[in-house]
DNA sequence: AAAAATTGTGTCTGGATGACACAACTCCAA
DNA sequence: TTGGAGTTGTGTCATCCAGACACAATTTTT
């Protein structure tokens, strides 16, 4: 029984959520599109394996990675029984190294236009998108997809892309600022052709502390919410 | 490389959350306490394997089961490199079959008093409890631990046990009834020695429809929440 | 200098939440 | 039989948050 690792890599180009997949130059299914993956080495833990695969494709370390599920249907791999541990990665699409990506014949596809992937990889992507939607609704996850400094309208476009819906500018801005996670850098986005939006950055300390504490069902002392 | 399945089985006795574990009568670590588990068969999917193991121990089918993580640290199993897919199960503690449980030297331990488990099983249990707390805060999950007919005070005790905190009776009752998931059977709990509480049952249809739809960050048309 | 596009901030109302009070039910003991 | 203890069912109130919506300020273009 083989143990594999597959990585679902999401990025954001300012308009759409994108998925990084490779064109296989090896059998089986050579020439078709697939998630980046590989077999688990005897000498590495699962998370290390995922990091290795991600580094191999993007040249990046310190990526946001999370294990989301393990699939193992009997016939999911036509060659041999393979259990695959699936990881979910969010990267700043502009940080990746071009050469590494090109060496693997990789391509960023928007979710709407992407081709079909091999095996059960399409199901994995669908599950990963659900997971992104679920988690981003409860935790300040989206920042992993943005550059270090970003504007609130950019952040809003990201959320609109994740959920495929329009949001009200004013309510979104209020809600985001209320979290206290954003720090105004004082600079403005000078790429704009109209009013220049303020550039913010994450308050890293509050970010780490608050990340796991979005609670909604149990009582919050002090009324409201 | 071996692929195993381990099951974390939670129950509720009316007062405390309990965990079902077995006393191993096989090597290694014979005589010590461990989660119920086994190796994945070539002829079964992961979920089938979990169901098989759960049936073997409890005699139950139709258990609430969810895959929560996969562990694979190099040295987690001292004998051989083993990847373990961990499942999370919630059962009505009174439905289990006594004989099956006894045949495995199994025991229901309260989380506070349980002995240390072998390998990395204690970490798994800790993660599973976090997961229970997380998920129960957002989805109507707790009912899986209760009998088919239950009172609101019973349900409240369950939530108090999950979170190790006291809740206000009146607010809890209102919140639960507002979900529209409960149907008053008209009967009363006649085991009580004081005022008999009403017995409710789940509205199965609404339960299934609403289960995945507790959303809190994205806008809800119509103001509020 | 005015218009178009975009950004920043404010107000209002409905609804949900936590804090808290009171009435009703059941059994048991005096 | 009666009253008290323990428990359950329902209601009120103030606060806070969310969504709906308006207006002023900034920047480039015409």
């Amino acid at each position: 029984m083989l143990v594999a690792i597959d990585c679902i890599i999401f990025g954001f180009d300012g308009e759409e959520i994108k998925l990084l997949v490779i064109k296989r130059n090896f059998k089986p299914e050579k020439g078709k599109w697939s998630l980046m993956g590989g077999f688990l080495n005897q000498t590495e833990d699962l998370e290390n394996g995922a990091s290795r695969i991600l580094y191999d494709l993007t040249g990046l370390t310190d990526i946001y990675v999370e294990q989301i599920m393990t699939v193992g249907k009997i016939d999911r791999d036509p060659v041999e029984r393979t259990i695959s541990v699936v990881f979910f990665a969010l990267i700043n699409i502009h940080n990746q190294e071009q050469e590494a990506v090109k060496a693997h014949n990789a391509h960023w596809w928007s979710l709407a236009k992407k081709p079909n992937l091999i095996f059960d990889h399409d199901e994995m992507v669908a599950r990963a998108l659900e997971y992104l939607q679920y988690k981003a609704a409860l935790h300040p996850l989206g920042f992993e997809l943005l550059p270090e400094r970003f504007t609130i309208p950019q952040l809003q476009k990201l959320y609109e892309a994740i959920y495929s819906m329009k949001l009200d500018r004013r309510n979104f801005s209020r809600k985001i600022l209320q979290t206290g996670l954003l720090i105004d850098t004082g600079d403005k986005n000078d790429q704009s052709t109209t009013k220049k939006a303020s550039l913010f950055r994450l308050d890293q300390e509050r970010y780490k502390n608050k990340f796991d504490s979005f609670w909604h069902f149990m009582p919050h002392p002090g009324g409201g919410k």
Side-chain angles (χ1 to χ4, degrees), chain A:
Chain A
M1 211 174 284
L2 300 175
V3 176
I5 290 174
D6 285 305
C7 294
I8 292 163
I9 307 168
F10 286 126
F12 179 61
D13 66 356
E15 295 294 333
E16 290 176 306
I17 299 293
K18 301 231 169 179
L19 178 73
L20 186 58
V21 292
I22 63 170
K23 196 166 195 171
R24 287 164 74 96
N25 55 5
F26 47 89
K27 291 191 174 182
E29 302 279 7
K30 183 172 174 175
K32 296 198 176 174
W33 294 97
S34 136
L35 293 174
M36 181 71 178
F39 292 107
L40 177 65
N41 291 339
Q42 283 286 349
T43 57
E44 67 188 359
D45 293 342
L46 290 168
E47 289 69 21
N48 294 75
S51 296
R52 167 176 60 81
I53 288 166
L54 288 168
Y55 176 76
D56 197 25
L57 178 60
T58 65
L60 298 176
T61 55
D62 285 326
I63 295 178
Y64 181 89
V65 186
E66 205 176 335
Q67 182 191 309
I68 57 168
M69 61 174 166
T70 300
V71 295
K73 282 219 188 310
I74 294 175
D75 57 352
R76 63 174 291 274
D77 183 325
V79 179
E80 195 168 354
R81 180 74 193 273
T82 306
I83 307 301
S84 179
V85 183
V86 183
F87 285 83
F88 167 87
L90 302 179
I91 73 175
N92 177 347
I93 202 168
H94 301 296
N95 284 357
Q96 53 153 342
E97 290 185 4
Q98 295 295 337
E99 308 121 35
V101 173
K102 276 185 182 164
H104 286 277
N105 296 311
H107 189 261
W108 284 101
W109 289 96
S110 80
L111 291 175
K113 294 171 193 161
K114 82 166 177 53
N116 290 334
L117 308 180
I118 64 166
F119 301 166
D120 51 358
H121 289 193
D122 282 319
E123 293 171 40
M124 294 182 191
V125 173
R127 287 277 302 275
L129 178 62
E130 283 177 21
Y131 186 80
L132 174 61
Q133 294 177 334
Y134 188 94
K135 185 127 189 180
L138 300 167
H139 303 278
L141 189 69
F143 305 106
E144 305 291 344
L145 291 163
L146 294 177
E148 212 174 312
R149 288 146 46 101
F150 51 86
T151 69
I152 291 186
Q154 281 171 354
L155 185 61
Q156 181 178 341
K157 281 203 170 181
L158 168 61
Y159 275 88
E160 291 178 337
I162 292 175
Y163 296 98
S164 299
M165 57 163 61
K166 285 287 172 191
L167 301 175
D168 182 272
R169 286 196 337 275
R170 300 153 286 196
N171 294 335
F172 181 82
S173 171
R174 178 183 56 200
K175 213 187 265 191
I176 289 291
L177 291 174
Q178 267 180 357
T179 65
L181 294 176
L182 266 50
I183 295 175
D184 193 331
T185 64
D187 296 335
K188 304 274 181 179
N189 175 18
D190 54 5
Q191 295 186 20
S192 169
T193 168
T194 59
K195 180 169 181 177
K196 299 181 197 314
S198 296
L199 284 164
F200 291 84
R201 64 179 176 81
L202 261 186
D203 184 328
Q204 289 294 342
E205 196 166 342
R206 290 194 183 185
Y207 176 61
K208 286 171 192 161
N209 292 338
K210 274 203 162 187
F211 193 88
D212 288 317
S213 66
F214 275 36
W215 227 236
H216 290 278
F217 188 79
M218 302 314 289
H220 287 241
K225 192 172 190 179

